[in-house]
Amino acid sequence: MATIGRRLAIVNSSNEWCFIDYMFPPLVITKLYIPRSRPNSVPRPRLLERLDEGLQRRLTLISAPAGFGKTTLLSQWLASLERRTQSVERPHSDSGSDDPALHSTFYGLRSAWLSLDDGENDPARFLAYLVAAVQTVAPSVGAGLLAALLSPQPPPTTAILTALINELSTLSHPFVLVLDDYHSLDSRPIDQALSFLLTHLPPQLHLVIATRQNPQLSLSRLRARGQLTELRAADLRFTPAEAANFLNQAMGLNLAAEAITELESRTEGWIAGLQLAALSMRGQQDIAGFIRSFTGNHHFVLDYLLEEVLHQQPAHIQQFLLRTSILDRLCGPLCDAVLRAPAGSGQAALNAIENANLFLVPLDNERRWYRYHHLFADLLRQRLQQGAGSSPDGAAASVADPHIRASVWYEEQGLELEAFRHATLANDVARAERLIQAKGMPLHYRGAMAPVLSWLTSLPGAVLDARPSLWVLYASAGTMVGQPISSVEQKLQAAETALQNAESDDKTRDLVGQIAATRAMLAIPLNRTEAMVAQSRRALAYLHPDNGPVRTAATWTLGFAYQLQGDRAAASRAYAEAIASSQASGNSMITIAATTCLGQVQETENRLALAAESYQRVLQLAGEPPLPAVCEAHLGLARICYEWNDLQAAQQHAHHCARLAPQMETPDTLAGCWMLLARVKLVQGDLSGAAALLAKAEQFVRQHHFAHRMPEVAALQVLTLLRQGHLTAAAQLAQTHDL
């Protein structure tokens, strides 16, 4: 639906500025930052060598529980790759290098990063971030993909990935793409998308996945083919030498060898446990006694150490840690807003926390954006909830306020999706509802379908009944994702019931109009033209003049009904109005639909040149890879090219239509593709080919009960039989269908 172009300026791994185009809701750029390698981190050459070797394969998988240093290791490795890439000269045929493989592996190698969380469970948003990450190293790749991905009806995942893979295969330089925290996702479609990418991975790309649990990918097949490098918890654990280096050099404890050995044994090399233990030992008088008591299930040990670490921090730092733990990513101004603190104090606190080595991960080289170590953040949030539960205001009020302030800050920055998310976490229904409707174009019209539907699904019926507008939003979103008509109708009826006792004003009238507009859309797949006309007119009568998105949709639906009824003049007027209003609001999907339908009307009136212009305009609007909705434009162009005797172009457009049509909710278009191709076969004298296509079309039409298509199929079959000399069979078929 509506999209607003933006450009992000970021610095890639080669310290070069590059620009990323993105669409509303905007992508969070800090997810694309490669975490900076700490100068005092423990060298791990054995693991870096394993990662280097993995570059010869398709996938490197780093799978281990929380706290095993996956992200730190990868940031070290990428920093190492960057140093070596810059030091390796371009290989020449007469190069005197003793190790030509080194040149081919590291010359021109670049690095891209994507930090994942549950906000990317929506496949379209995941793919949008994937494209954005790729653009940090190859800005020219995917220029037309982001707009398509963040539309309400994005192209199928395989189409997006195919286009992306084809563009990647043209790159002159190799690069590494890291997907960090892949365990945050719980989406089978995303697993399938990643499997498709791995199957067709171009040689320029090496994929790295860091996760707490095995992804649902064909790992056994990759192992068998020698295409997988794996690092597990057993590989990531600190060795005794690494533990000694960490405790004495990085943490400055100066422990005896016996104490290090015992502590390393008790933690089994678990890096987070060692770090928490080291923080707790600062200021301890009885180190040996502490180490002896350091035992038991690591969850309980972690709780104990967290208490020890927090208690050793100043009170204001403790409060800062707890109250900012609600944030997935932190920067000074955001922390100031959440804490209602003076400007600049948040950045000062972040600097102090980083210097204290308190599990704060910098996300950029400028030290403006950070995140807490995930395990540390989980425990801080747990403690925040426990403290809020014992407060006089109760947990809900104490935790909700910071979320509200975060929501306000994100809204002021133009990040509506993040603002909406914090409003839902605060259980501020009114604010969340307003943010969905922000700027006149609902969030779920702009690519944020999954979070909006997830929130609406989570609300109890009583809350929805108290706010009929939420029922209407719920029904609208359900219509857009193809929920059953009966399910959507139940939501509309619930909205009407809730509106019975509401005071009649502009808002309630507009809701009545939205309900009617949704019912008009529901009538389309049922081919109920009378209902389309009645509900569309009702919608336009009740909708507020400022409700541009819904009024535009209702106008298009009315035009579609007129077209089905054969009133071409009325249909053309409605489509022209819908195109004008949708272009003004940026509602690209309605622009595409109305322009396609206008082309069909022009074609019916035998104004083929005008119709061809309309269809070509649709293809331009759809971009690459095309949206499935452009299948009708391709079919229209195929018909026109057939009339103009350009049979090759007619075939090309028909084949494009046949690939896209199955992805639409109106699959009868596919029968039209096959009938057009059969006409071309007849002209070319391929009678058996034409008969085969028509048999396929007949089976399809009967299977899907598209009775209105059968006379057209039968007419072409009669022509084919006549060309084949089967006059009796042709006469019988014509009589059967009353042709």
Side-chain angles (χ1 to χ4, degrees), residues 52 56 84 87-88 97-107:
D52 285 348
Q56 307 301 324
R84 286 177 286 169
S87 67
V88 174
S97 171
D98 294 331
D99 188 2
L102 181 68
H103 289 293
S104 63
T105 301
F106 295 114
Y107 177 74

Side-chain angles (χ1 to χ4, degrees), residues 258-330:
E258 298 80 19
I260 292 173
T261 300
E262 185 174 358
L263 191 56
E264 191 276 334
S265 175
R266 289 183 181 276
T267 60
E268 299 183 70
W270 179 45
I271 300 172
L274 283 169
Q275 186 170 10
L276 286 168
L279 289 170
S280 297
M281 280 188 286
R282 290 175 176 174
Q284 289 279 350
Q285 298 299 318
D286 184 8
I287 296 294
F290 172 83
I291 293 176
R292 285 193 299 271
S293 67
F294 192 79
T295 185
N297 185 286
H298 75 266
H299 292 294
F300 297 106
V301 171
L302 189 58
D303 287 343
Y304 167 76
L305 290 175
L306 183 57
E307 290 290 328
E308 290 296 312
V309 171
L310 281 178
H311 286 165
Q312 293 183 29
Q313 305 306 314
H316 72 281
I317 292 295
Q318 291 188 43
Q319 286 300 309
F320 183 93
L321 291 169
L322 291 171
R323 293 167 64 188
T324 59
S325 66
I326 66 162
L327 303 171
D328 292 329
R329 285 164 177 76
L330 308 93

Side-chain angles (χ1 to χ4, degrees), residues 197-485:
L197 177 62
L198 281 168
T199 300
H200 305 283
L201 202 69
Q204 289 89 337
L205 171 59
H206 178 74
L207 189 63
V208 180
I209 296 176
T211 178
R212 294 182 187 178
Q213 58 192 31
N214 286 342
Q216 297 299 309
L217 305 174
S218 300
L219 298 179
S220 58
R221 183 178 62 185
L222 292 169
R223 289 190 197 100
R225 296 179 177 178
Q227 297 172 343
L228 175 65
T229 296
E230 295 178 83
L231 294 180
R232 301 285 179 173
D235 305 303
L236 296 174
R237 289 188 174 98
F238 271 164
T239 64
E242 289 170 338
N245 188 321
F246 173 74
L247 292 168
N248 284 343
Q249 300 299 320
M251 302 302 295
L253 289 177
N254 196 26
L255 297 177
E258 298 80 19
I260 292 173
T261 300
E262 185 174 358
L263 191 56
E264 191 276 334
S265 175
R266 289 183 181 276
T267 60
E268 299 183 70
W270 179 45
I271 300 172
L274 283 169
Q275 186 170 10
L276 286 168
L279 289 170
S280 297
M281 280 188 286
R282 290 175 176 174
Q284 289 279 350
Q285 298 299 318
D286 184 8
I287 296 294
F290 172 83
I291 293 176
R292 285 193 299 271
S293 67
F294 192 79
T295 185
N297 185 286
H298 75 266
H299 292 294
F300 297 106
V301 171
L302 189 58
D303 287 343
Y304 167 76
L305 290 175
L306 183 57
E307 290 290 328
E308 290 296 312
V309 171
L310 281 178
H311 286 165
Q312 293 183 29
Q313 305 306 314
H316 72 281
I317 292 295
Q318 291 188 43
Q319 286 300 309
F320 183 93
L321 291 169
L322 291 171
R323 293 167 64 188
T324 59
S325 66
I326 66 162
L327 303 171
D328 292 329
R329 285 164 177 76
L330 308 93
C331 68
L334 174 56
C335 292
D336 293 339
V338 168
L339 301 175
R340 289 181 176 170
S345 60
Q347 187 62 51
L350 289 171
N351 294 339
I353 292 169
E354 184 182 15
N355 291 336
N357 216 12
L358 289 175
F359 301 100
L360 192 66
V361 180
L363 296 173
D364 57 5
N365 292 332
E366 290 77 22
R367 290 300 204 267
R368 289 185 296 186
W369 282 94
Y370 299 84
R371 68 167 174 84
Y372 290 124
H373 182 285
H374 295 313
L375 188 58
F376 190 55
D378 290 343
L379 290 166
L380 287 173
R381 291 165 187 158
Q382 181 184 13
R383 181 176 172 83
L384 179 66
Q385 289 284 351
Q386 292 171 346
S390 61
S391 69
D393 295 335
S398 299
V399 179
D401 288 346
H403 279 299
I404 292 297
R405 291 192 285 273
S407 178
V408 171
W409 188 87
Y410 275 120
E411 184 181 9
E412 291 172 350
Q413 309 308 309
L415 298 169
E416 288 110 327
L417 185 57
E418 286 68 32
F420 167 74
R421 177 176 173 273
H422 279 284
T424 62
L425 291 171
N427 199 30
D428 189 333
V429 176
R431 179 174 180 78
E433 180 187 8
R434 181 181 64 76
L435 286 167
I436 291 178
Q437 300 282 16
K439 297 184 179 179
M441 187 64 66
L443 273 180
H444 61 288
Y445 279 22
R446 292 183 274 156
M449 185 69 66
V452 169
L453 262 180
S454 177
W455 176 63
L456 291 169
T457 304
S458 71
L459 295 177
V463 173
L464 296 169
D465 289 338
R467 293 180 174 273
S469 56
L470 292 179
W471 276 122
V472 176
L473 279 171
Y474 203 173
S476 172
T479 302
M480 293 176 65
V481 298
Q483 288 184 354
I485 293 176

Side-chain angles (χ1 to χ4, degrees), residues 382-691:
Q382 181 184 13
R383 181 176 172 83
L384 179 66
Q385 289 284 351
Q386 292 171 346
S390 61
S391 69
D393 295 335
S398 299
V399 179
D401 288 346
H403 279 299
I404 292 297
R405 291 192 285 273
S407 178
V408 171
W409 188 87
Y410 275 120
E411 184 181 9
E412 291 172 350
Q413 309 308 309
L415 298 169
E416 288 110 327
L417 185 57
E418 286 68 32
F420 167 74
R421 177 176 173 273
H422 279 284
T424 62
L425 291 171
N427 199 30
D428 189 333
V429 176
R431 179 174 180 78
E433 180 187 8
R434 181 181 64 76
L435 286 167
I436 291 178
Q437 300 282 16
K439 297 184 179 179
M441 187 64 66
L443 273 180
H444 61 288
Y445 279 22
R446 292 183 274 156
M449 185 69 66
V452 169
L453 262 180
S454 177
W455 176 63
L456 291 169
T457 304
S458 71
L459 295 177
V463 173
L464 296 169
D465 289 338
R467 293 180 174 273
S469 56
L470 292 179
W471 276 122
V472 176
L473 279 171
Y474 203 173
S476 172
T479 302
M480 293 176 65
V481 298
Q483 288 184 354
I485 293 176
S486 58
S487 175
V488 176
E489 180 59 34
Q490 287 176 358
K491 298 176 180 65
L492 295 176
Q493 292 177 8
E496 289 176 325
T497 301
L499 282 171
Q500 287 178 354
N501 298 324
E503 182 180 351
S504 180
D505 54 19
D506 287 348
K507 182 177 180 180
T508 56
R509 285 183 59 82
D510 188 73
L511 289 176
V512 171
Q514 291 184 50
I515 292 171
T518 303
R519 284 204 170 108
M521 294 293 291
L522 292 178
I524 292 176
L526 300 176
N527 207 33
R528 295 172 53 195
T529 55
E530 295 81 3
M532 290 182 223
V533 172
Q535 294 295 341
S536 296
R537 288 175 174 170
R538 178 176 172 83
L540 294 171
Y542 278 87
L543 286 167
H544 194 278
D546 293 338
N547 193 343
V550 183
R551 291 189 68 88
T552 301
T555 302
W556 171 79
T557 309
L558 184 60
F560 187 70
Y562 288 148
Q563 182 181 354
L564 293 178
Q565 291 176 334
D567 189 345
R568 295 192 295 271
S572 296
R573 288 193 297 270
Y575 291 146
E577 182 181 345
I579 291 170
S581 57
S582 62
Q583 288 176 335
S585 64
N587 193 338
S588 59
M589 288 304 299
I590 293 296
T591 304
I592 288 172
T595 306
T596 301
C597 292
L598 182 60
Q600 292 170 345
V601 172
Q602 292 165 338
E603 186 183 354
T604 303
E605 295 175 336
N606 205 31
R607 295 187 292 168
L608 300 188
L610 279 177
E613 289 179 6
S614 296
Y615 293 141
Q616 289 290 356
R617 195 175 307 119
V618 170
L619 300 187
Q620 293 170 0
L621 289 169
E624 287 292 337
L627 299 170
V630 304
C631 64
E632 290 287 352
H634 275 298
L635 183 55
L637 285 169
R639 290 190 299 263
I640 292 172
C641 290
Y642 174 83
E643 293 295 334
W644 288 344
N645 203 33
D646 188 348
L647 300 184
Q648 183 178 0
Q651 282 183 307
Q652 290 175 347
H653 283 296
H655 285 304
H656 284 310
C657 177
R659 282 195 294 270
L660 296 169
Q663 303 155 26
M664 295 293 292
E665 294 180 4
T666 54
D668 64 314
T669 303
L670 195 56
C673 294
W674 291 330
M675 285 187 280
L676 189 282
L677 288 170
R679 288 182 182 274
V680 174
K681 295 286 186 184
L682 283 175
V683 173
Q684 294 172 336
D686 184 358
L687 302 183
S688 61

